[in-house]
Amino acid sequence: MTATAVLTPIGSATAAPAAPFPTRIPLPDGFAPEGLTIGRGGTVYVSSILDGAVWRGDLRTGRGSVLIPGTPGTDRAGLKVDARNRLWTADFSGGGASVHDARTGARLAHYQFTDEPGSLVNDLVITPRAVWFTDSTRPVLYVVPLGPGGRLPAATDFQVLPLSGPAADPGAFSNGIVALPDGDLLVAQMLAGRLVRVDPDTGASQVVDLGGYSVRRADGLVLRGRTLYVIRNLTNLVAVVRLDPSFTSGVVQRESTDPRLRVPATGDLFGSGLYVVNARFDTEPTPDTDYDIVRLPA
């Protein structure tokens, strides 16, 4: 089934801001956001964990509208835009992933990784050769290999990589994921409070030494060079970690806090700003519950 863009008015979320690049961007009331990514030209995309909708906005104006309408009984978590302007989404409790045209919202592909009850396909990272997805409740990574020129594979041509070592510990709750310059993957384990490096060929893993610092409630990860931003949801802070050249250890440089943080789930960088989405997981969502994106200094 193909989704098309719906330019739905969203009340206060379409109001013109007082200045360009507002520090706060309101989302539609009741949206229940989870994932956030920034694509071409400062276009921001936010997913809903309530019904799988995707909202698209402009960081310069703060204006936006629903790109992909929600469907009751579905949900989405992490999302990313690739170099070909395709929007990839982790379809959370649906056990799979979808690919959409980031301009029109039309669905281009779907990959059903698992029908295992309780699986949560949570976050993803795009590399030149593949797209990798975490499952918060299973010790695996799902891999969608890309063909020449980034060609999408057939719906059944994905792989399941079993994890070993600390990445496979039960109850650790794998969440955010980024790709390291050496080819390994870095995964946040939200309940274990740690970061693990994963070999993408074997699934073997090791804990990143943070000098005893716990990243409990780590949700989204954002990497720029050797600086890692660990967005810790219910803790209402972003831990800024300077990784060593081997990416096997790191030092926490600061904990960034702000009264505007209301259980941030994840974020992305644009220029000198770190944009994070307030998921408000500690608040029961209602049609009137307000949500927003806030900009922090990176």
Side-chain angles (χ1 to χ4, degrees), residues 207-231:
V207 174
V208 176
D209 181 7
L210 297 180
Y213 181 83
S214 172
V215 291
R216 186 166 176 82
R217 307 306 311 185
D219 201 329
L221 298 180
V222 182
L223 181 66
R224 175 183 278 175
R226 285 167 44 205
T227 300
L228 180 72
Y229 300 86
V230 183
I231 298 161

Side-chain angles (χ1 to χ4, degrees), residues 9-261:
I10 53 176
S12 61
T14 62
F21 290 98
T23 58
R24 176 184 179 271
I25 298 174
L27 295 170
D29 287 350
F31 190 75
E34 207 286 342
L36 177 148
T37 193
I38 298 172
R40 295 179 178 179
T43 302
V44 61
Y45 301 84
V46 180
S47 63
S48 171
I49 206 166
L50 179 66
D51 61 6
V54 175
W55 181 90
R56 179 179 62 188
D58 186 336
L59 295 180
R60 290 175 173 81
T61 66
R63 298 174 179 172
S65 60
V66 173
L67 173 68
I68 302 172
T71 302
T74 68
D75 46 22
R76 298 181 201 254
L79 70 173
K80 294 287 188 296
V81 178
D82 68 16
R84 293 160 185 85
N85 209 32
R86 297 179 303 210
L87 180 67
W88 294 72
T89 68
D91 295 345
F92 206 52
S93 65
S98 299
V99 189
H100 294 261
D101 184 308
R103 183 180 63 85
T104 67
R107 194 168 83 167
L108 306 175
H110 177 74
Y111 302 94
Q112 188 62 42
F113 301 137
T114 180
D115 293 317
E116 185 81 16
S119 293
L120 296 175
V121 182
N122 200 322
D123 208 350
L124 67 141
V125 64
I126 300 171
T127 71
R129 293 181 144 186
V131 185
W132 303 80
F133 296 81
T134 58
D135 189 320
S136 295
T137 63
R138 301 182 66 206
V140 299
L141 293 178
Y142 304 112
V143 191
V144 179
L146 299 174
R151 187 180 67 239
L152 297 174
T156 56
D157 289 347
F158 61 85
Q159 301 160 11
V160 180
L161 177 68
L163 301 176
S164 60
D169 286 353
F173 204 92
S174 294
N175 208 326
I177 181 172
V178 293
L180 298 173
D182 61 9
D184 276 5
L185 304 167
L186 190 64
V187 176
Q189 293 189 310
M190 187 176 77
L191 298 184
R194 65 195 182 193
L195 306 173
V196 291
R197 277 178 61 115
V198 176
D199 185 316
D201 295 320
T202 67
S205 64
Q206 66 181 90
V207 174
V208 176
D209 181 7
L210 297 180
Y213 181 83
S214 172
V215 291
R216 186 166 176 82
R217 307 306 311 185
D219 201 329
L221 298 180
V222 182
L223 181 66
R224 175 183 278 175
R226 285 167 44 205
T227 300
L228 180 72
Y229 300 86
V230 183
I231 298 161
R232 299 176 56 193
N233 52 38
L234 289 172
T235 315
N236 281 318
L237 62 83
V238 178
V240 183
V241 180
R242 182 66 172 173
L243 297 168
D244 78 322
S246 68
F247 294 91
T248 58
S249 65
V251 175
V252 178
Q253 294 185 313
R254 69 182 186 276
E255 291 183 334
S256 181
T257 60
D258 191 291
R260 297 173 299 156
L261 293 179

